[in-house]
Amino acid sequence: MILVTGGAGYIGSVTTELLRALGENVVILDNLDRGHREAIPRGVRFYEGSIGDRDLLARIAREHRLEACIHFAALAYVGESVADPARYFNNNVEQGIALLDSLLKAGVRQLVFSSTCATYGEPQQVPISEDHPQNPTNPYGWSKLIMERIMESYDIAYGLRFIALRYFNAAGATTERGELHDPEPHLIPNVVAAAQQQIPAVSVFGDDYPTPDGTAIRDYIHVADLGTAHILALDHLRKGGQSDRFNLGNGQGYSVMEVIETARQVTQLPIPVQVEQRRAGDPSRLVADAAKARNLLGWRPAFPDLASIIRTDWEWRKVKRNTNRSEVTPITTD
């Protein structure tokens, strides 16, 4: 049985969908702070609660024979982390440590950890490889880097093997699941929302970065490709692989304005733009060198270009946004 924390969230629910398609047994733990009950795939056992609830984790371990954990449950908004760092260190670090302790107590020694390219900070060279210095520019990035260091110590002391997957920018959708936050902080969902006239314009946070058009550059990776990488990482651990860290990205950077123009081409609709001030903690350019994941995990993104990623989000929002409902088995902590 695989425990998926944050399995009602965007990437967690898609990864669960892929795991179930492979016949894996999954149990989800999510506090529904930012996840959606209806995103949980049909028939998957679900516990509503916090990863820091040691009693609840002990109960899950009693009721299921846990083999491994894929850990998504974290707060992940850069700007919010700057405004409220205490919340991020409590949720991502303090409760993350409680999760690690609970896994050890349950006999789980295999962990796939959702990390981030935000651990690198402002890049010294692009594309960014895994040996690039890590110097985050925001508390969110620090919270993930701290957890990476803690997991290293837990591996040495207790044999908790882990894979840290440093995402670049997740985007896109499957036919059943996509990105839906309130408020929505990410570019591609907001670009599509502007095309659908659900918001008046796309906010462009800063047009004075040291980039060709002045807007920040990011590497976008399809959510299903991220899910596949988690499954390959788990297979690596199951085969006796040692703890490691991998970047996940397509290796191609696109500026904010390039994303907007590509979305205009995909949707064939006008997309208004509103330029605003930079957000605190945002680096100018983040592009992945993901050769290590390709070479060691055998990972091959199925959506390597920006247009195909945006198109999946566009199609999901047109057809599925208000119709995705799944049957779940809620289990209370009473």
Side-chain angles (χ1 to χ4, degrees):
M1 180 72 72
I2 302 167
L3 172 64
V4 177
T5 68
Y10 174 41
I11 306 172
S13 65
V14 169
T15 301
T16 300
E17 176 185 332
L18 297 176
L19 286 166
R20 292 285 288 173
L22 293 172
E24 297 279 5
N25 293 317
V26 179
V27 58
I28 284 176
L29 172 62
D30 197 301
N31 65 7
L32 299 182
D33 179 29
R34 289 182 177 162
H36 302 275
R37 186 182 293 267
E38 62 269 23
I40 298 171
R42 187 185 308 274
V44 174
R45 298 276 285 181
F46 167 55
Y47 293 76
E48 182 176 349
S50 166
I51 60 169
D53 187 337
R54 296 171 188 258
D55 291 338
L56 177 57
L57 264 296
R59 177 186 172 192
I60 295 172
R62 287 195 306 271
E63 296 179 358
H64 304 276
R65 188 173 180 178
L66 299 180
E67 170 206 358
C69 175
I70 303 179
H71 175 31
F72 295 101
L75 297 173
Y77 297 170
V78 168
E80 182 183 64
S81 78
V82 174
D84 193 1
R87 186 181 184 196
Y88 272 66
F89 290 122
N90 171 269
N91 186 88
N92 295 1
V93 179
E94 183 177 348
Q95 294 190 44
I97 292 171
L99 172 65
L100 299 187
D101 291 344
S102 295
L103 293 176
L104 290 174
K105 191 173 182 180
V108 175
R109 296 296 186 273
Q110 299 174 358
L111 173 65
V112 180
F113 177 70
S114 168
S115 192
T116 172
C117 63
T119 64
Y120 295 117
E122 190 66 40
Q124 297 178 11
Q125 68 266 345
V126 175
I128 300 168
S129 64
E130 288 82 358
D131 60 2
H132 185 285
Q134 291 177 288
N135 186 27
T137 59
N138 54 71
Y140 165 59
W142 278 111
S143 73
K144 291 291 190 174
L145 179 55
I146 290 167
M147 283 303 298
E148 286 194 19
R149 296 293 183 264
I150 291 170
M151 290 187 300
E152 290 173 6
S153 298
Y154 272 52
D155 183 11
I156 294 168
Y158 311 123
L160 179 63
R161 291 180 297 121
F162 71 93
I163 298 295
L165 297 176
R166 297 171 183 162
Y167 309 169
F168 282 63
N169 283 53
T174 67
T175 57
E176 296 295 329
R177 289 168 183 84
E179 187 169 12
L180 189 60
H181 300 109
D182 184 20
E184 179 55 69
H186 297 139
L187 178 60
I188 287 178
N190 281 320
V191 169
V192 173
Q196 294 177 325
Q197 298 184 325
Q198 294 174 342
I199 59 174
V202 178
S203 293
V204 175
F205 295 102
D207 62 356
D208 58 349
Y209 284 98
T211 61
D213 65 16
T215 62
I217 290 175
R218 296 291 184 266
D219 184 341
Y220 295 89
I221 181 71
H222 195 276
V223 63
D225 289 328
L226 288 177
T228 298
H230 286 78
I231 294 169
L232 291 171
L234 179 58
D235 287 344
H236 172 85
L237 293 175
R238 283 171 162 172
K239 293 173 182 176
Q242 297 305 302
S243 297
D244 212 335
R245 306 124 191 96
F246 295 91
N247 288 340
L248 298 179
N250 275 314
Q252 175 66 48
Y254 297 93
S255 73
V256 172
M257 291 309 302
E258 287 176 320
V259 171
I260 293 168
E261 183 54 39
T262 302
R264 287 170 177 156
Q265 295 170 13
V266 168
T267 65
Q268 293 295 296
L269 292 170
I271 299 175
V273 169
Q274 176 67 46
V275 177
E276 301 184 24
Q277 292 184 340
R278 294 189 191 187
R279 293 181 298 194
D282 269 350
S284 59
R285 186 189 301 257
L286 292 171
V287 180
D289 177 352
K292 184 177 177 182
R294 288 176 166 85
N295 293 335
L296 296 185
L297 298 180
W299 180 63
R300 297 290 184 274
F303 298 88
D305 65 282
L306 181 62
S308 66
I309 293 171
I310 292 174
R311 187 170 292 109
T312 63
D313 188 276
W314 170 243
E315 293 298 329
W316 176 71
R317 289 177 195 279
K318 283 196 303 183
V319 179
K320 295 290 187 180
R321 183 171 185 177
N322 297 315
T323 61
N324 181 25
R325 296 292 183 270
S326 300
E327 294 178 4
V328 301
T329 305
I331 303 176
T332 69
T333 58
D334 295 339

